[in-house]
Amino acid sequence: MTRELYPAIDPYCTGYLKVSALHTIYYEEVGNPQGNPVVFLHGGPGGGIEGIYRQYFDPQKWRIVLFDQRGCGKSTPHAELRENNTWLLVADIEKLRELLKIERWVVFGGSWGSTLSLAYSQTHPERCLGLILRGIFLLREKELKWFYQEGTSYIFPDIWQNYLAPIPPEERGDLLAAYYRHLTSDNPQIRLEAAKAWSIWEGSTSKLIPADNLIERFGQDNFAEAFARIECHYFVNKGFLETDNQLIENVDKIRHIPAVIVQGRYDIVCPMISAWELHQAWPEAEFIIVPDAGHSMTEVGIRSALIEATDKFVNL
């Protein structure tokens, strides 16, 4: 059944939480202050939140908490890589939960948000009422090589040329490392050229049918700088995970938590093999394959499945 987004809604509360001497994160609360709490973990890392994310939840029933992770969106300092890693973000989520006096909440995350959701829930399972995950990304070597080195290039060779453009041919044997050098250059022009190419690559491949408005957003200077720098920082550091398969190896810690996994069959950014392998290790989680969708949560089938999941989980 096709589901439409809930109507656009403004936050009833916004604020800033200082999580370290360096970083301050922006957060907002939307919907019903007495509703069932849910925390929305955005993608990237470095993507930031958008107003449309509020519309996947019934505002009469949910208390929706959204925040910009370190270095992106309205959080400060912008595009900062220092003191920015997976486990610090996990700690930030807990600081935000404590600030808002929430005992337990549903955790909702897609793409990198699914990575962070798994890392958070496996660290603090006692704080999780349920998990709604989309576009599974486990930050494994094979996933990074598929999208940033070789794999997706066979499907999008025309767009791949633009992704390669900032990197000299002699540096292309390890594109992640080469991009990291460019994105951390002292030359702002070099940084921005690399950031826009990196970001537009993902924006161009996120939907089954590419959308100009998404590509345009990903190509904006301010967005691209944080998105590309922070993503590349996390990826060259293997997500700061202890092992390549850590998030699957630790599934036993969350096996008891109600969960749903929504995956587009033709997701090029986060190929379905990762969602499939997670589900094989965690058959208790409901697994929904959307047959006519790519990666984006705004594609009709994914949108509908996510809204059905939030409606179902609101009574947990």
Side-chain angles (χ1 to χ4, degrees), residues 17-25 70 83 88 91-93 95-96:
L17 172 61
K18 193 165 184 61
V19 291
S20 78
L22 179 61
H23 285 275
T24 299
I25 61 170
R70 295 188 181 205
E83 297 180 21
L88 290 172
D92 292 350
I93 298 169
K95 289 175 183 175
L96 184 58

Side-chain angles (χ1 to χ4, degrees), residues 36-42 57 62-67 93 96-97 100 102 105-109 117 120 127-128 130 132:
N36 209 23
V38 58
V39 61
F40 183 101
L41 304 182
H42 67 68
F57 309 88
W62 283 106
R63 178 185 178 186
I64 311 147
V65 179
L66 308 96
F67 72 99
I93 298 169
L96 184 58
R97 183 191 63 77
L100 300 178
I102 294 171
W105 51 10
V106 172
V107 181
F108 181 114
S117 296
Y120 172 77
R127 298 303 179 190
C128 300
I132 300 173

Side-chain angles (χ1 to χ4, degrees), residues 16 22-26 69-78 80:
Y16 289 88
L22 179 61
H23 285 275
T24 299
I25 61 170
Y26 166 82
Q69 294 159 29
R70 295 188 181 205
C72 62
K74 296 179 182 178
S75 295
T76 59
H78 184 71
E80 179 58 66

Side-chain angles (χ1 to χ4, degrees), residues 19-291:
V19 291
S20 78
L22 179 61
H23 285 275
T24 299
I25 61 170
Y26 166 82
Y27 69 90
E28 58 187 39
E29 294 185 85
V30 184
N32 180 357
Q34 306 306 317
N36 209 23
V38 58
V39 61
F40 183 101
L41 304 182
H42 67 68
I49 56 175
E50 294 184 78
I52 193 173
Y53 297 158
R54 308 166 187 158
Q55 296 177 248
Y56 284 76
F57 309 88
D58 184 337
Q60 301 301 315
K61 297 179 179 179
W62 283 106
R63 178 185 178 186
I64 311 147
V65 179
L66 308 96
F67 72 99
D68 289 321
Q69 294 159 29
R70 295 188 181 205
C72 62
K74 296 179 182 178
S75 295
T76 59
H78 184 71
E80 179 58 66
L81 305 184
R82 292 173 296 166
E83 297 180 21
N84 201 338
N85 66 55
T86 304
W87 307 110
L88 290 172
L89 297 187
V90 166
D92 292 350
I93 298 169
E94 272 297 273
K95 289 175 183 175
L96 184 58
R97 183 191 63 77
E98 291 169 356
L99 174 74
L100 300 178
K101 296 180 170 57
I102 294 171
E103 185 67 23
R104 300 170 72 202
W105 51 10
V106 172
V107 181
F108 181 114
S111 192
W112 156 255
S114 76
T115 322
L116 187 57
S117 296
L118 290 167
Y120 172 77
S121 62
Q122 290 171 6
T123 305
H124 300 286
E126 74 284 357
R127 298 303 179 190
C128 300
L129 287 169
L131 291 165
I132 300 173
L133 307 175
R134 186 269 313 169
I136 299 301
F137 179 42
L138 301 175
L139 233 158
R140 297 177 294 180
E141 185 74 17
K142 66 181 181 181
E143 296 169 71
L144 295 173
K145 284 187 174 178
W146 160 264
F147 193 65
Y148 293 107
Q149 188 65 41
E150 188 177 45
T152 311
S153 59
Y154 289 100
I155 301 168
F156 290 96
D158 48 342
I159 302 170
W160 179 255
Q161 290 303 308
N162 297 325
Y163 167 73
L164 288 179
I167 308 300
E170 64 272 15
E171 295 185 40
R172 293 176 184 173
D174 186 343
L175 286 164
L176 272 181
Y179 256 101
Y180 187 73
R181 288 191 294 272
H182 284 242
L183 289 166
T184 56
S185 168
D186 292 334
N187 185 323
Q189 185 175 345
I190 290 174
R191 288 200 307 270
L192 184 59
E193 180 189 21
K196 294 183 72 167
W198 173 288
S199 188
I200 289 171
W201 165 241
E202 187 163 330
S204 300
T205 53
S206 286
K207 288 194 172 187
L208 187 60
I209 306 299
D212 288 342
N213 62 335
L214 184 65
I215 296 168
E216 181 180 354
R217 173 176 174 257
F218 274 60
Q220 292 172 353
D221 292 3
N222 195 59
F223 177 88
E225 183 180 19
F227 186 76
R229 277 171 51 85
I230 296 172
E231 273 202 339
C232 193
H233 165 69
Y234 273 70
F235 298 166
V236 297
N237 286 290
K238 314 301 183 191
F240 304 92
L241 300 173
E242 294 178 4
T243 68
D244 192 54
N245 215 33
Q246 179 177 337
L247 298 176
I248 287 182
E249 291 165 355
N250 286 342
V251 157
D252 280 349
K253 295 180 179 180
I254 58 172
R255 194 175 299 282
H256 62 288
I257 300 174
V260 60
I261 298 167
V262 177
Q263 181 70 35
R265 167 76 72 181
Y266 298 105
D267 189 334
I268 296 300
V269 180
C270 298
M272 195 180 112
I273 186 64
S274 296
W276 177 253
E277 290 175 353
L278 178 63
H279 178 58
Q280 295 306 295
W282 190 15
E284 297 85 355
E286 182 182 3
F287 187 42
I288 299 170
I289 301 171
V290 181

Side-chain angles (χ1 to χ4, degrees), residues 3 6 57-58 62 306-315:
R3 295 292 305 273
Y6 283 100
F57 309 88
D58 184 337
W62 283 106
L306 290 174
I307 293 172
E308 287 186 8
T310 62
D311 283 355
K312 177 181 175 182
F313 276 41
V314 77
N315 294 316

